[in-house]
Amino acid sequence: MLTPVVIAAAAALAATAVSAAPATKPSAELTEKEVTALKTAWGEGIVNIGQVHTNGGDYRAAAENHIEQF
């Protein structure tokens, strides 16, 4: 189970990344299928960050890598 601290840290890092990240399609709208795939990948990444934390790993690095991916 993710602790509130891990969830808050991931959310804070995500908010920073979302505001700074360039759009992948600046002149075109995303399709519903693309949005669904992105949401799924994002969620899986958040779960991975929690798993890294649970296993005693470097969850900050996992979060940073996840954010850089998006």
Side-chain angles (χ1 to χ4, degrees), residues 30-41:
L30 292 171
T31 66
E32 185 175 342
K33 186 176 182 177
E34 290 170 320
V35 170
T36 300
L38 287 168
K39 287 170 45 178
T40 299

Side-chain angles (χ1 to χ4, degrees), residues 4-26:
V5 173
V6 173
I7 294 170
L13 288 171
T16 302
V18 169
S19 64
T24 56
K25 288 185 168 183

